[in-house]
């Protein structure tokens, strides 16, 4: 049975930031034993999950993003915290967060608007910008207090410039599993 590809719009991380996160991840694996750690090439910050799509719909979205996103200004994001999604005792997602940035929220709103214009059905949950590090907690209880104590990003200035967004295709049976299929530059 063939798995249909899924797509999403995201901000890619620069290679040097991916490398820094990958190195810091090694220090996190022992205190935070998750089942599946994300491949460093797959680090990104999702703006909109699209699901499955036709080639025509993706092409139309790419054209719309090129027109609207080029009006955006570059901005910087700073990684500043660790967090979890899901049950506090047994979380599903372990992530890195970024400092609040109004330009990021504005960009995400623009992306959502363009996705809706080409009939993508989007999630309605509030936007929580993050970079997924790992999935599926494998111990009995998550050490919530360790999030700040073991955070290798707290005293680092791990910031990066955002100058483009990409449409990615998910390739479930490959690693890394996300492939850029379109880039829209600011």
């Amino acid at each position: 049975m063939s798995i249909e590809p899924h797509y999403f719009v995201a901000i890619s991380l620069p290679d040097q930031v991916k490398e820094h996160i990958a190195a810091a991840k090694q220090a996190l694996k022992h205190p935070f034993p998750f089942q599946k750690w994300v491949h460093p090439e797959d680090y990104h910050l999702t703006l909109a999950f699209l699901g499955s799509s036709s080639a025509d719909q993706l092409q139309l979205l790419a054209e719309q993003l090129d027109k609207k996103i080029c009006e955006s200004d570059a901005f910087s994001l700073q990684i500043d915290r660790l967090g979890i999604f899901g049950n506090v005792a047994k979380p599903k997602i372990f992530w890195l967060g970024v400092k609040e940035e109004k330009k990021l929220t504005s960009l995400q709103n623009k992306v959502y608007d363009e996705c809706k214009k080409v009939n993508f059905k989007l999630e309605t949950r509030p936007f929580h910008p993050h970079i997924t590090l790992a999935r599926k907690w494998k111990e009995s209880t998550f050490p919530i207090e360790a999030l700040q104590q073991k955070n290798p990003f707290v005293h680092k200035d791990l910031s990066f410039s955002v100058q483009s967004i990409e449409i990615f295709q998910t390739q479930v049976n490959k690693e890394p599993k996300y492939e850029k299929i379109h880039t829209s530059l600011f």
Side-chain angles (χ1 to χ4, degrees):
M1 181 169 110
S2 175
I3 298 173
E4 192 172 318
H6 288 89
Y7 302 89
F8 59 94
V9 180
I11 295 170
S12 288
L13 303 183
D15 287 342
Q16 66 194 40
V17 173
K18 289 179 183 178
E19 290 167 9
H20 185 82
I21 294 169
K25 176 177 77 173
Q26 296 309 314
L28 295 170
K29 282 186 170 184
H30 178 71
F32 301 108
F34 280 82
Q35 290 179 27
K36 177 70 175 154
W37 288 81
V38 174
H39 189 284
E41 288 301 313
D42 286 338
Y43 295 146
H44 67 276
L45 195 150
T46 301
L47 298 171
F49 179 74
L50 306 174
S52 59
S53 176
S54 69
D56 290 344
Q57 190 179 27
L58 285 170
Q59 181 61 38
L60 188 55
L61 177 61
E63 291 168 8
Q64 287 297 111
L65 291 176
D66 285 347
K67 287 179 194 172
K68 293 295 181 179
I69 300 307
C70 71
E71 300 168 359
S72 300
D73 293 325
F75 59 93
S76 290
L77 291 175
Q78 183 174 353
I79 296 170
D80 70 342
R81 67 189 177 283
L82 293 169
I84 56 172
F85 290 139
N87 183 312
V88 175
K90 200 165 176 86
K92 292 182 179 183
I93 304 290
F94 186 43
W95 51 262
L96 283 172
V98 295
K99 282 191 176 176
E100 189 172 325
E101 172 56 60
K102 289 180 183 178
K103 289 181 179 182
L104 174 59
T105 303
S106 175
L107 175 63
Q108 194 266 345
N109 287 333
K110 282 183 188 178
V111 168
Y112 250 54
D113 289 346
E114 297 311 311
C115 291
K116 287 178 184 176
K117 286 178 186 176
V118 293
N119 299 316
F120 279 100
K121 306 282 188 251
L122 302 173
E123 293 181 340
T124 57
R125 293 183 288 188
F127 179 54
H128 293 288
H130 67 280
I131 301 155
T132 300
L133 291 175
R135 294 178 175 83
K136 298 182 183 174
W137 180 251
K138 64 181 184 180
E139 299 290 322
S140 58
T141 304
F142 186 81
I144 194 75
E145 68 286 345
L147 283 178
Q148 289 310 313
Q149 297 167 355
K150 304 285 186 185
N151 186 347
F153 303 98
V154 158
H155 301 293
K156 303 273 189 221
D157 180 16
L158 192 55
S159 57
F160 58 97
S161 179
V162 178
Q163 301 174 7
S164 65
I165 62 171
E166 286 80 27
I167 299 174
F168 285 88
Q169 176 180 338
T170 301
Q171 300 179 15
V172 179
N173 297 324
K174 289 187 176 182
E175 194 169 58
K177 67 179 179 178
Y178 304 134
E179 177 185 357
K180 287 181 196 178
I181 61 169
H182 182 80
T183 299
S184 295
L185 300 171
F186 295 177

